[in-house]
Amino acid sequence: MTTAVPTIGVLALQGDVREHARALEGAGARAVPVRRPEELERVDALVVPGGESTTMWRLARTFELLEPLRKRIEAGMPAYGSCAGMIMLADRVLDGVEGQETIGGIDMTVRRNAFGRQVDSFETSVPLEGMGDAPFHAVFIRAPWVESVGDGVQVIGRAEGGPNIGRIVAVRQGRLMATAFHPELTGDHRVHHYFADLVRRAMEEE
């Protein structure tokens, strides 16, 4: 594996930006905030953090970032979304607000707030394909789940416990990946290492 240090942006409009930045640094990447189109152009990849997907969408519109984000994704930029970020990277959203838009890129249908309200937050084990034998201790906060995926989408994780056991909660499609849970809130950086390695491979292919 190359030792290149990728510059990975964290979409810093709203949500748990600092936590993702720390996890990315722990995975050997350089993490920078992204709020403007010119900042987006300077990164090798992007993390779309948890938060509130409707707020994130509206702020992306306000900051004139939505279309640049879509263009970078379409051009092959690697991206990873957690919780609200999973919704933002989905091509289709159920139970969204009227007119809600996403960045898109992953051929999946995601149900917003599927696991319930804030008070229904929970933690459970999720085995993650390609990230070691030990299950990941996953934190779900007003989390979505994946209702369905297209043929090109790889399911890499399903909930082992909690409400709606067996639901799809982690996916990958090429250079894009998403989780319904918040790996940045744990001390386990395997998801961020996996994404950083994905970014390094993409850099080698350019």
Side-chain angles (χ1 to χ4, degrees), residues 5-6 17 103 110 128 148 189 206:
V5 179
V17 176
I103 300 165
V110 169
L128 293 173
S148 62
H189 294 163
E206 293 297 329

Side-chain angles (χ1 to χ4, degrees), residues 52-54 57 87-88 93 95-102 112:
E52 214 293 317
S53 61
T54 56
W57 150 56
I87 296 170
M88 290 295 288
V93 178
D95 293 338
V97 302
E98 185 176 354
Q100 183 169 354
E101 296 178 87
T102 68
R112 183 172 168 265

Side-chain angles (χ1 to χ4, degrees), residues 34-56:
V34 170
R35 296 184 185 88
R36 295 174 176 82
E38 57 268 26
E39 294 169 339
L40 178 64
E41 289 303 314
R42 295 196 287 265
V43 301
D44 300 308
L46 186 73
V47 169
V48 185
E52 214 293 317
S53 61
T54 56
T55 301
M56 207 174 291

Side-chain angles (χ1 to χ4, degrees), residues 76 78 172 174-175 197-206:
R172 176 179 172 185
R175 295 179 176 181
D197 286 344
L198 185 159
V199 176
R200 293 185 186 100
R201 287 193 294 272
M203 292 168 66
E204 288 181 334
E205 293 168 1
E206 293 297 329

Side-chain angles (χ1 to χ4, degrees), residues 9-81:
V10 182
L11 188 62
L13 300 177
Q14 188 252 357
D16 43 359
V17 176
R18 284 178 294 183
E19 292 86 351
H20 271 295
R22 281 196 294 267
L24 288 167
E25 298 280 352
R30 175 174 175 261
V32 297
V34 170
R35 296 184 185 88
R36 295 174 176 82
E38 57 268 26
E39 294 169 339
L40 178 64
E41 289 303 314
R42 295 196 287 265
V43 301
D44 300 308
L46 186 73
V47 169
V48 185
E52 214 293 317
S53 61
T54 56
T55 301
M56 207 174 291
W57 150 56
R58 291 181 176 121
L59 287 172
R61 274 279 179 219
T62 299
F63 282 80
E64 299 182 337
L65 258 175
L66 200 56
E67 288 307 320
L69 285 165
R70 287 170 174 163
K71 287 178 181 177
R72 283 296 311 270
I73 295 290
E74 289 171 3
M77 178 184 70
Y80 161 58

